[in-house]
Amino acid sequence: MSYQFIDTPEQKKKLDKVFVELKGVPGSLMKAMQKAQDIYGYLPIEIMQRIATACNVPVEEVYGIATFYAQFNIEPMGKYKVGICLGTACYVKGSGVILDKIKERLHIEPGHTTEDMKFTLEATRCIGCCGLAPVMTINGEVHGNLKPEDLDTIFAKYGA
Amino acid sequence: MKQVNVKINGIPVTVDAGTRILDAAKKAGVNIPTLCYLKDVTNEGSCRMCVVEVAGAKNLVTSCFATVREGMEVFTNTPKVIASRKTTLELILSNHDQKCLSCVRSTNCELQKLALEYGCDSYKYQGEKNSYPIQDKNPYLIRDNNKCILCRRCVAVCNKVQSVNAIGANNRGFKTEIGSVFGHDLADTGCVACGQCIKACPVGALYEKDDTDQVMKAILDPEKFVIVGTAPAVRVGVGEEFGYPIGTDVEGKMVTALRRLGFDKVFDVNMTADLTIMEEGTELLERLNDPNAKLPMLTSCSPGWINFIETFYPDLLGNLSSCKSPQQMFGAVMKTYYAEKMGIDPAKMVVVTVMPCTAKKTEVIRDHQNASGYPDVDITITTREFARLLRRQSIDLRNLEDGMFDDPLGQSSSAGHLFCATGGVMEAALRTVASIVNGKNLEKLDFKGVRGMDGIKEATVNLNDGRKIRVAVAHSLSNARKLMDQIRAGKSKYQFIEIMACPGGCINGGGQPIVPSQVLNNVDVRALRAKAVYDRDKKAAIRQSHENPVMKVLYDEYFGKPNSHKAHKILHTEYKPQNKL
């Protein structure tokens, strides 16, 4: 799937400012990546290249770090972030089946975003609501005691 | 340096403080297996093959990483150690495709060898396996990550030795994969096609694009006149594929083997290395005499280096000699001068080269490399592909009598032969330039200051007319980078610089026979192969390019004089910046 990267003049200015602040600061690569993600929401190749140039490291190094840490997104995030908990309690209570159902519904794998940019699917670790297992969050709103047949009603609320 | 006393399997040995356990063991005559360790390149300690027991230590210790201390007692072959290595190997195999029968590295694979030695059960751990598409969207190299063991030797060579940084480890944990940014093919990255990663790979995850079928197709086509030319480095490398010791010169047998394959003519690219010297030497003298010329002049015969400068230093392209490489001059001469002389239509001519090089596969398809209107060189194969072709045709190099290159273009000087070792182009050029500058022969032809395996070598050379020039030689692109940064900063003190992309030069090119790390870690393969080159030079009758009688014929009958209009049209080329990720 490919997404078009849009860079507004304001965003560009903000990132340039970050580079100025971090210039010459040792070990500032991670910081630059975090700030860039704050500005753009994710790290497309165009931004990785700018970070690489600014921090004087190969772009492959930036990419290696971005794909190593879960905190970095290399694809744009959808309007709604769907997190399905695969922690032990939720998994035992059937969250794996629910994840499969959501994958079928949205036609994406965890870590990806639907082409209409509406949903980003994430399989998460335990989010601490084991009493409500299995749970799913959509933009922070918790849906607990889930059964596969609940999904139609829930997703209808978000227009899918 | 402070010395420490240690015992390896009970054998006492004294070594410098700071020595790795692995090297201390070597001194005690004890061999420790390794997979990820590559001397002077990487010791990540990631593969866990070199683990040993150290008295008093709770856990096993990686001997490629840990250093000795006074009184240390090391045991390299205890049941605990053997069991650990075996499990490590079986776990590697559990995520390996194990298609050994059809693997290009079978019988020359470090993983296969160790798995056999340790009596591994290749299916002991059955579970999830990664499945990756084969990456082959470039003309020179294939990456098959289904065979990759994540040792990162290729990454270390690409980043540290070549400073190219085209590949790295991406993703995490079980999904860790070696590749390029956003999964792009190497062709989109700054990869220069040097092929050093292939030679670093312990398994069959990296290998060259095989063009041997194309060669046989051309040979078997009765309509085609098929000419082969061999690079200088091939004759000091290919013997290794047939059991000769490293550094054996098998030129005569190689020529016979090529003839038996069915080529119509067997020529030597050493001849066009001489021609390169005539052109490049003249170009250097012209630049030295022109106050506006760009200096230092940079050599242009290494295609990996050309890819590098076009990608990373496009602002310095004006410093690059406009001469085509000897390979391309070879094809150009064949399809123009030789085709005319023999009355052969260049359209029906197929020029094949055997090269120690994977980057040559990018060079043959470059722009401005078609002097006759057809590609100067049609097919180029590496030394390894050549050996593969011989085996497939049941030609055993060891049983062949010596042959001679064909007349009349088969003759060359030993200066041309030097092209395959770092410093060799420089030495060949200096021999000719210093002589032709005023027509007087040099008293001493050896320029020992530019020989050897130091990363950057420099010398001040007296031209025969009283002028002095400062020259430098670099091999490995990380060393080239240092000299280029000097030029960019306006601080270069040289007039002439030779660059070869590969460490040691073409003798250690990306297309040369693969030497396992257990050998690489103990001997300098580059020096052994280079010795065979300089030995031939010592004994040669003709040691200067301009004394090669073929040069007189080519210039008298065809090109007029070096750097003439016609020579420029046929033997020179152009460069342009490469815009890569």
Side-chain angles (χ1 to χ4, degrees):
Chain A
M1 237 176 283
S2 64
Y3 309 90
Q4 206 186 341
F5 170 58
I6 301 152
D7 190 6
T8 66
E10 293 78 47
Q11 286 174 315
K12 194 172 178 311
K13 226 171 110 187
K14 268 193 197 166
L15 187 61
D16 283 338
K17 210 174 135 225
V18 170
F19 291 150
V20 171
E21 281 166 14
L22 295 177
K23 197 172 164 65
V25 180
S28 57
L29 177 57
M30 283 282 276
K31 195 98 202 145
M33 290 170 68
Q34 285 161 340
K35 296 249 179 194
Q37 181 159 299
D38 288 344
I39 297 167
Y40 292 94
Y42 73 117
L43 298 174
I45 190 160
E46 294 84 352
I47 296 303
M48 286 195 196
Q49 282 174 314
R50 287 184 59 200
I51 295 172
T53 310
C55 297
N56 198 24
V57 297
V59 67
E60 165 48 41
E61 189 175 329
V62 181
Y63 181 73
I65 292 170
T67 54
F68 184 87
Y69 291 106
Q71 62 172 296
F72 294 113
N73 308 316
I74 61 169
E75 278 181 26
M77 301 298 284
K79 188 171 170 200
Y80 301 111
K81 196 169 156 187
V82 181
I84 176 81
C85 179
L86 292 187
T88 311
C90 286
Y91 193 79
V92 169
K93 292 273 228 167
S95 66
V97 180
I98 291 173
L99 175 63
D100 288 342
K101 291 274 173 210
I102 300 173
K103 283 193 324 200
E104 259 171 52
R105 173 181 289 269
L106 301 178
H107 305 293
I108 50 169
E109 290 292 312
H112 294 278
T113 300
T114 54
E115 216 155 342
D116 62 4
M117 304 295 295
K118 210 153 179 186
F119 296 98
T120 297
L121 179 59
E122 272 177 3
T124 72
R125 304 283 164 99
C126 179
I127 59 168
C129 305
C130 307
L132 297 173
V135 295
M136 166 175 82
T137 58
I138 299 184
N139 279 5
E141 190 184 334
V142 178
H143 302 268
N145 295 318
L146 277 178
K147 286 183 272 306
E149 54 269 30
D150 298 340
L151 293 175
D152 283 346
T153 338
I154 296 171
F155 275 92
K157 275 211 295 189
Y158 300 95
Chain B
M1 171 142 333
K2 202 183 149 219
Q3 302 275 298
V4 294
N5 302 299
V6 296
K7 275 187 183 169
I8 314 281
N9 297 345
I11 304 163
V13 59
T14 306
V15 294
D16 290 343
T19 302
R20 294 185 187 112
I21 296 175
L22 183 72
D23 294 326
K26 211 170 281 168
K27 212 178 162 196
V30 173
N31 186 41
I32 297 174
T34 54
L35 253 184
C36 71
Y37 173 69
L38 207 51
K39 190 177 160 220
D40 301 332
V41 179
T42 177
N43 63 326
E44 285 232 0
S46 64
C47 79
R48 320 308 289 177
M49 273 312 292
C50 69
V51 290
V52 294
E53 265 195 89
V54 173
K58 204 172 92 190
N59 295 325
L60 295 175
V61 171
T62 44
S63 63
C64 75
F65 197 81
T67 52
V68 292
R69 57 185 152 66
E70 180 60 37
M72 189 184 247
E73 281 191 74
V74 178
F75 303 94
T76 67
N77 286 325
T78 62
K80 187 177 172 186
V81 166
I82 304 278
S84 166
R85 289 181 192 151
K86 188 175 174 189
T87 303
T88 297
L89 286 165
E90 285 171 340
L91 283 167
I92 292 173
L93 290 170
S94 77
N95 191 27
H96 185 87
D97 73 4
Q98 302 197 30
K99 291 184 183 164
C100 295
L101 285 180
S102 54
C103 180
V104 70
R105 289 289 296 274
S106 193
T107 73
N108 185 20
C109 167
E110 295 181 28
L111 177 63
Q112 190 185 45
K113 180 170 173 281
L114 286 167
L116 273 173
E117 285 173 3
Y118 282 79
C120 290
D121 171 358
S122 18
Y123 298 104
K124 179 152 182 197
Y125 300 104
Q126 306 248 15
E128 193 180 347
K129 268 192 185 195
N130 282 316
S131 173
Y132 298 109
I134 288 173
Q135 296 171 39
D136 60 353
K137 289 184 184 56
N138 64 72
Y140 51 91
L141 183 139
I142 297 171
R143 172 177 279 281
D144 179 357
N145 273 348
N146 301 300
K147 292 186 161 70
C148 176
I149 62 165
L150 298 173
C151 68
R152 293 165 172 77
R153 272 157 53 166
C154 56
V155 176
V157 164
C158 190
N159 297 1
K160 286 200 232 162
V161 179
Q162 299 297 56
S163 73
V164 167
N165 302 297
I167 48 173
N170 301 324
N171 297 312
R172 185 173 187 165
F174 186 66
K175 289 286 169 202
T176 304
E177 184 186 9
I178 309 299
S180 303
V181 57
F182 279 91
H184 275 277
D185 190 89
L186 285 175
D188 307 328
T189 70
C191 171
V192 300
C194 71
Q196 286 298 316
C197 54
I198 298 178
K199 283 160 43 79
C201 185
V203 296
L206 292 166
Y207 49 98
E208 67 285 332
K209 277 260 172 89
D210 189 304
D211 291 314
T212 52
D213 286 346
Q214 275 194 62
V215 173
M216 285 319 293
K217 200 175 149 203
I219 288 175
L220 294 171
D221 185 342
E223 296 287 303
K224 302 284 191 206
F225 188 83
V226 190
I227 296 169
V228 69
T230 54
V234 177
R235 70 209 70 184
V236 298
V238 71
E240 293 163 34
E241 292 268 353
F242 294 88
Y244 285 97
I246 294 166
T248 309
D249 185 337
V250 294
E251 181 184 285
K253 288 175 190 294
M254 176 189 76
V255 171
T256 304
L258 288 163
R259 205 160 274 135
R260 290 211 183 169
L261 278 175
F263 288 105
D264 293 302
K265 289 286 172 193
V266 181
F267 290 134
D268 196 350
V269 174
N270 288 13
M271 183 275 287
T272 40
D274 284 333
L275 190 59
T276 304
I277 289 302
M278 300 303 292
E279 292 294 318
E280 200 168 85
T282 308
E283 184 183 351
L284 176 66
L285 285 174
E286 282 174 7
R287 288 199 194 211
L288 288 172
N289 292 334
D290 175 0
N292 298 319
K294 286 233 166 112
L295 287 171
M297 187 173 94
L298 309 170
T299 60
S300 59
C301 28
S302 164
W305 153 239
I306 298 299
N307 287 334
F308 182 82
I309 187 172
E310 286 186 335
T311 305
F312 297 98
Y313 294 90
D315 48 316
L316 301 182
L317 290 177
N319 292 66
L320 211 48
S321 160
S322 62
C323 289
K324 284 181 181 173
S325 73
Q327 155 172 287
Q328 296 303 120
M329 284 198 189
F330 177 77
V333 168
M334 291 301 139
K335 290 195 181 178
T336 57
Y337 166 76
Y338 189 65
E340 279 174 40
K341 194 180 165 77
M342 301 289 289
I344 302 168
D345 179 0
K348 294 201 167 142
M349 212 179 234
V350 177
V351 175
V352 177
T353 59
V354 186
M355 292 279 143
C357 184
T358 44
K360 289 284 176 198
K361 291 181 193 281
T362 65
E363 187 177 57
V364 296
I365 52 174
R366 283 177 68 90
D367 292 340
H368 312 295
Q369 303 279 2
N370 47 3
S372 63
Y374 301 94
D376 292 338
V377 176
D378 297 277
I379 312 165
T380 178
I381 57 171
T382 60
T383 309
R384 293 192 296 272
E385 289 167 87
F386 173 43
R388 207 173 294 151
L389 194 51
L390 292 183
R391 285 193 287 266
R392 194 172 301 152
Q393 299 290 321
S394 306
I395 298 170
D396 182 3
L397 199 77
R398 294 189 78 97
N399 293 326
L400 299 180
E401 70 286 4
D402 285 346
M404 301 271 282
F405 288 108
D406 281 312
D407 284 333
L409 295 176
Q411 221 172 349
S412 58
S413 81
S414 66
H417 187 50
L418 297 186
F419 263 59
C420 62
T422 169
V425 175
M426 178 61 72
E427 183 160 351
L430 294 177
R431 285 179 188 179
T432 287
V433 169
S435 302
I436 61 175
V437 76
N438 66 355
K440 272 197 288 189
N441 268 331
L442 286 174
E443 283 169 19
K444 226 175 108 238
L445 289 179
D446 290 349
F447 290 86
K448 292 207 166 130
V450 296
R451 296 184 187 178
M453 292 301 150
D454 289 343
I456 295 175
K457 295 164 277 186
E458 50 172 17
T460 304
V461 179
N462 289 317
L463 298 185
N464 245 356
D465 63 354
R467 273 186 294 182
K468 280 184 180 176
I469 58 168
R470 296 189 79 164
V471 301
V473 172
H475 57 119
S476 300
L477 293 169
S478 56
N479 291 319
R481 198 178 268 279
K482 290 176 195 155
L483 294 180
M484 292 312 109
D485 286 341
Q486 285 176 2
I487 302 177
R488 209 177 240 178
K491 288 182 182 155
S492 184
K493 44 189 187 205
Y494 310 110
Q495 282 80 45
F496 188 28
I497 295 178
E498 174 209 288
I499 307 276
M500 295 190 192
C502 291
C506 315
I507 44 168
N508 187 37
Q512 286 286 69
I514 287 168
V515 180
S517 64
Q518 289 280 327
V519 177
L520 285 177
N521 292 343
N522 291 302
V523 294
D524 190 342
V525 172
R526 306 169 304 175
L528 291 176
R529 290 180 185 155
K531 185 175 179 298
V533 175
Y534 288 108
D535 283 350
R536 172 176 287 270
D537 174 52
K538 236 183 290 175
K539 289 181 291 194
I542 305 172
R543 297 184 65 203
Q544 295 178 94
S545 296
H546 57 282
E547 291 185 345
N548 176 359
V550 178
M551 294 304 112
K552 192 170 159 41
V553 174
L554 283 178
Y555 284 108
D556 286 355
E557 288 185 18
Y558 202 66
F559 292 114
K561 58 182 185 28
N563 285 17
S564 67
H565 180 68
K566 194 168 189 178
H568 254 282
K569 230 176 112 210
I570 295 173
L571 305 175
H572 291 247
T573 187
E574 291 170 27
Y575 310 101
K576 61 168 189 268
Q578 295 186 24
N579 197 3
K580 296 297 178 70
L581 286 172

